[in-house]
Amino acid sequence: MINYGRLNKILENMKKLDLPQILVCDDSALFYLIGKKIQPMERAGAILIKQSGEIHAFMNNLFCFDPEEGMTMHYYADGENVYKMIADELDPGKVGFDDKWMSKHTVGVLSERSDIIPVSGSTPVDLAKMIKDEKEIELLRNAGRVNDMAVEFGIKSIKEGRSELEIANMIEALFEENGGVQDEQLQMVCFGGGAANPHHWPDKETTVKEGDCCLFDLWCPINGYWCDMTRTVFWKKVSDKHREVYEIVKAAQQAALDFIKPGVKMSEIDAVARKVITDAGYGEYFTHRLGHGVGMTVHEPPEASASCDIVTQPGMCFSVEPGIYLPGEVGVRIEDLVIVTEDGCETLTHYPKDLQVVGND
């Protein structure tokens, strides 16, 4: 069923962006609009939206996509030319193509028409998806509750001789027991120098050693909405230098959280956290953006980076995750998801952030 409240937001954005027609193809965008996922794999599936409100759906018979009231249905079988089917319904001029659509599909449509101008077309949907409604916010809160549980479980699972990958798989199983569904193991469990790589993937060889930092970056879709959270603890002892690094990261995150409210630029939020780390002498070791939007996908607009001037509005959800990474030595990151409120922000994850030295029980 078409969600007309969301459709109207998309149509408003199309008018603001002077986009007369867009092809919506990304699975999360389709689910946002109609509550269905088609998972087309290599086949083409798309919904054409025109500024007039006219809607066409182009679906392979294998998608089991039933007719929808309010849209004209076009079905095709393997071997039929779906690109001509789509091209025949396009108006001359600009066509917004979904950024996530395979290039072979875009090229296929363009080969059927010489009077259309391809432009990036994901923005109208992305802007609508940025502002979560109350149902979405509650789903994100629930995902955050599961994330808190997973982080606590992960930290308690650290044992001498137990590898990063073994713990990561244990965490993945916990997510699955609590509504998490994903196709591969994504949990980042990083010990010691491995944590200094912001995207270190756990391996079956690395086990914890005394004095290691233990970084847990845990993320999973829970009932269709993602959680994403990072905590860093230390095994048995922590050096003065590593304690200093931890407290700087913690202060940087808190400065950003205190700054967030409606009407500020995402780039300004990034700058607030980055200044704390830079002023402490570690600026060159904060090597990534401060955060990214989260919802039906784990990385979506808006991003908290120096290049993003999107202005915050109530209902936006994004991560706040400063870090310091000293190559081969230590990596500290602290991450929470927030929802922008009318006068500040709500933090969705609540596992403690005071420095912890674990393993001495």
Side-chain angles (χ1 to χ4, degrees):
M1 171 180 283
I2 298 172
N3 186 317
Y4 282 97
R6 294 175 179 179
L7 173 63
N8 288 334
K9 290 180 183 178
I10 293 169
L11 291 171
E12 289 173 11
N13 291 334
M14 288 172 65
K15 291 175 183 176
K16 290 176 183 176
L17 295 166
D18 190 27
L19 274 174
Q21 52 195 340
I22 61 172
L23 284 163
V24 180
C25 317
D26 178 59
D27 244 18
S28 66
L30 290 173
F31 188 79
Y32 177 78
L33 180 62
I34 57 176
K36 293 181 180 180
K37 289 188 176 182
I38 61 173
Q39 296 180 322
M41 294 185 284
E42 76 276 10
R43 295 179 174 89
I47 290 179
L48 169 64
I49 302 175
K50 300 187 178 184
Q51 263 193 35
S52 63
E54 181 182 341
I55 303 176
H56 296 260
F58 306 90
M59 300 291 162
N60 190 287
N61 293 330
L62 297 177
F63 297 164
C64 301
F65 191 100
D66 295 330
E68 284 280 349
E69 184 178 350
M71 64 175 66
T72 301
M73 303 301 303
H74 305 264
Y75 295 104
Y76 73 97
D78 285 353
E80 293 186 291
N81 188 352
V82 63
Y83 305 129
K84 185 176 188 308
M85 191 180 293
I86 295 171
D88 285 347
E89 299 301 332
L90 296 175
D91 297 326
K94 287 195 296 187
V95 180
F97 283 84
D98 196 313
D99 297 350
K100 302 287 196 310
W101 216 23
M102 290 184 186
S103 59
K104 71 174 185 177
H105 300 323
T106 301
V107 171
V109 173
L110 292 175
S111 69
E112 298 291 338
R113 291 281 292 269
S114 60
D115 60 347
I116 60 175
I117 304 168
V119 297
S120 177
S122 293
T123 303
V125 180
D126 287 343
L127 291 175
K129 285 174 64 184
M130 278 199 312
I131 311 301
K132 274 58 178 180
D133 58 32
E134 282 303 317
K135 181 179 178 181
E136 292 180 294
I137 291 171
E138 188 50 47
L139 286 165
L140 287 163
R141 287 184 182 126
N142 179 65
R145 287 189 282 268
V146 175
N147 215 353
D148 279 328
M149 185 191 314
V151 166
E152 181 176 13
F153 172 80
I155 291 171
K156 288 181 177 179
S157 298
I158 306 171
K159 304 288 183 186
E160 290 180 355
R162 185 174 281 172
S163 73
E164 294 173 332
L165 185 59
E166 186 178 356
I167 296 173
N169 286 334
M170 292 167 64
I171 294 166
E172 195 69 60
L174 179 76
F175 272 131
E176 290 177 5
E177 291 168 5
N178 289 275
V181 178
Q182 53 193 19
D183 296 332
E184 58 182 325
Q185 197 289 113
L186 294 177
Q187 309 316 317
M188 294 182 186
V189 178
C190 318
F191 296 152
N197 176 355
H199 278 183
H200 170 79
W201 290 106
D203 61 51
K204 60 183 179 181
E205 288 80 29
T206 303
T207 58
V208 71
K209 301 186 297 295
E210 187 174 292
D212 274 353
C213 64
C214 305
L215 187 152
F216 292 81
D217 188 346
L218 310 184
W219 45 320
C220 187
I222 308 293
N223 299 320
Y225 280 78
W226 282 78
C227 58
D228 192 5
M229 176 183 180
T230 306
R231 291 293 186 269
T232 307
V233 300
F234 294 85
W235 182 251
K236 293 191 177 293
K237 67 178 183 181
V238 58
S239 69
D240 289 343
K241 180 180 180 182
H242 293 177
R243 182 182 294 276
E244 177 193 43
V245 166
Y246 186 94
E247 295 299 342
I248 292 166
V249 172
K250 180 184 171 187
Q253 197 213 30
Q254 191 59 54
L257 294 175
D258 292 341
F259 181 76
I260 296 168
K261 60 184 177 182
V264 300
K265 293 180 180 179
M266 297 299 293
S267 57
E268 293 172 335
I269 302 170
D270 178 279
V272 165
R274 200 167 299 278
K275 184 177 188 302
V276 173
I277 293 174
T278 299
D279 287 351
Y282 288 94
E284 66 182 293
Y285 302 108
F286 180 13
T287 55
H288 55 75
R289 64 191 176 187
L290 179 66
H292 53 85
V294 176
M296 291 181 182
T297 52
V298 71
H299 285 179
E300 62 183 42
E303 65 173 32
S305 73
S307 62
C308 182
D309 286 335
I310 290 175
V311 174
T312 52
Q313 301 177 56
M316 285 183 175
C317 178
F318 51 88
S319 67
V320 180
E321 49 181 304
I324 293 175
Y325 311 95
L326 305 183
E329 181 182 346
V330 68
V332 173
R333 182 164 65 253
I334 302 173
E335 173 187 17
D336 293 288
L337 298 187
V338 301
I339 296 280
V340 180
T341 63
E342 294 295 335
D343 57 0
C345 71
E346 172 188 350
T347 304
L348 300 181
T349 36
H350 304 285
Y351 188 85
K353 288 180 271 193
D354 288 340
L355 188 149
Q356 291 188 57
V357 177
V358 300
N360 291 318
D361 299 337

